[in-house]
Amino acid sequence: MEKKTPSFRDDDSEKEPEINYRGVKAMPFIIGNETFEKLGAIGTLSNLLIYLTSVFNLKHISAVTLINVFNGTTNFATLLGAFLSDTYFGRYKTLGFSSITSFLGLFVIALTAVFKKLHPPHCESKDISQCIGPTGWQMVFLLSGFGLLIIGAAGIRPCNLAFGADQFNPNTESGKRGINSFFNWYFFTLTFAQMVSVTLVVYVQSDISWSIGLAIPAIFMLISCFLFFGGTKIYVKVKPEGSPLTSIAQVLVVSIKKRRLKLPDQPWKSLFNYTPLKSINSKLPYTYQFRETVTPHEVCS
């Protein structure tokens, strides 16, 4: 009786589980989340300068400086959010946490309009220097809302488009069409949210009530959170595999540490040959592009 050699090809433990892409079913939840998130964020930020000068009695230059610092910090924070998402948490957890944080930020800012103790008394004078400015704790409460919005934007901005694309199989024709459709709907709803925010929401804030006008974006963001978590069971959740920022930093550090090493006679045979197993990048050939001088012998060889 012959002994059969065990076949490792049938070993299911080495096979990666098949991914069940349900992009069409997941797309309404992601698009809805993004639409209401933009309605909330843009609805608050579009009229923020008027709010700071008319309700918080800040000088125009102080209000502009505060908004510029907020915008700059938000843009910089997206780099940190992308790094944490790619390296530690993944896009799903990052978007979920950031959506809740954005809602809390909009809710805090709405409270500053609802309760009179959270903003300075109304000033009838057109000369802002004669108005009573905000107290220290009133500004702290307002800035805490801005801080929560920064944390929220740091996770939402770099992850929302990529998370939507994760729901489709890029290796099939239907998946490629689904990604194109997702991008089309994404930018259509983004434009729609901007139009509604800078018209209807701003009108309510300026001409009807700041309390109602700032509560509407907070409600929009709450709806955004419900929509996002409503699709949890059908999402494709890609595990974090490391950030390209880490690789860039490693290259810079190693380049500085090994800048004085001498090259071997045939560097193209012994250097730059490592390619990670899960890398989607093609192997790059050795080049003399960044050498200060190139000898004819090196070019010929």
Side-chain angles (χ1 to χ4, degrees):
M1 186 174 181
E2 296 181 358
K3 294 183 179 180
K4 294 183 178 180
T5 304
S7 175
F8 293 98
R9 295 180 180 178
D10 297 330
D11 187 4
D12 294 334
S13 63
E14 294 183 1
K15 295 181 180 179
E16 294 183 359
E18 185 177 353
I19 301 175
N20 185 11
Y21 291 96
R22 288 178 282 187
V24 176
K25 293 182 179 180
M27 192 167 67
F29 295 98
I30 299 175
I31 292 294
N33 164 259
E34 177 62 21
T35 301
F36 282 97
E37 187 272 331
K38 285 294 183 289
L39 283 169
I42 299 175
T44 298
L45 301 178
S46 296
N47 214 22
L48 192 57
L49 179 63
I50 305 299
Y51 180 70
L52 293 176
T53 55
S54 62
V55 176
F56 266 76
N57 298 335
L58 293 180
K59 295 181 180 179
H60 186 82
I61 186 63
S62 300
V64 171
T65 301
L66 177 59
I67 293 175
N68 287 337
V69 171
F70 169 78
N71 291 332
T73 306
T74 301
N75 293 331
F76 179 78
T78 55
L79 296 175
L80 179 60
F83 173 79
L84 294 176
S85 173
D86 292 339
T87 307
Y88 299 107
F89 305 116
R91 298 186 184 100
Y92 171 77
K93 292 182 179 180
T94 303
L95 280 170
F97 174 77
S98 300
S99 296
I100 296 174
T101 307
S102 292
F103 163 70
L104 293 176
L106 294 175
F107 181 70
V108 167
I109 294 177
L111 290 179
T112 62
V114 173
F115 296 102
K116 295 182 179 180
K117 291 185 178 180
L118 295 179
H119 62 260
H122 179 67
C123 182
E124 298 290 345
S125 176
K126 294 183 179 180
D127 186 3
I128 197 70
S129 61
Q130 298 181 1
C131 300
I132 300 176
T135 61
W137 68 270
Q138 287 174 342
M139 282 301 300
V140 169
F141 194 81
L142 177 67
L143 292 177
S144 66
F146 287 162
L148 290 170
L149 287 179
I150 291 173
I151 297 174
I156 292 176
R157 291 187 182 183
C159 295
N160 49 13
L161 267 175
F163 184 72
D166 287 342
Q167 310 309 311
F168 300 90
N169 188 352
N171 299 319
T172 62
E173 290 298 325
S174 60
K176 294 177 182 179
R177 290 195 300 269
I179 293 175
N180 292 334
S181 177
F182 168 74
F183 287 151
N184 291 336
W185 278 105
Y186 176 89
F187 288 106
F188 171 78
T189 54
L190 173 61
T191 304
F192 171 78
Q194 290 175 332
M195 292 174 57
V196 173
S197 298
V198 300
T199 54
L200 180 61
V201 177
V202 170
Y203 169 76
V204 173
Q205 292 172 350
S206 300
D207 295 345
I208 298 179
S209 170
W210 280 106
S211 299
I212 299 175
L214 291 177
I216 291 175
I219 294 173
F220 283 155
M221 194 64 229
L222 181 61
I223 297 174
S224 174
C225 293
F226 279 116
L227 286 173
F228 178 78
F229 290 108
T232 296
K233 293 183 179 181
I234 63 176
Y235 290 150
V236 173
K237 303 168 186 175
V238 179
K239 295 181 179 180
E241 295 181 353
S243 172
L245 296 177
T246 304
S247 299
I248 294 173
Q250 289 174 341
V251 170
L252 293 175
V253 172
V254 173
S255 299
I256 294 173
K257 290 176 64 176
K258 299 185 177 182
R259 66 188 184 277
R260 299 187 185 280
L261 290 180
K262 293 183 179 181
L263 289 176
D265 294 334
Q266 295 179 324
W268 55 89
K269 292 185 177 180
S270 57
L271 299 178
F272 314 101
N273 290 325
Y274 173 71
T275 303
L277 296 177
K278 296 184 178 180
S279 175
I280 61 174
N281 298 320
S282 60
K283 185 178 293 185
L284 298 177
Y286 182 81
T287 175
Y288 292 102
Q289 180 180 358
F290 296 104
R291 290 286 299 275
E292 294 182 1
T293 59
V294 180
T295 63
H297 171 71
E298 290 175 332
V299 174
C300 294
S301 58

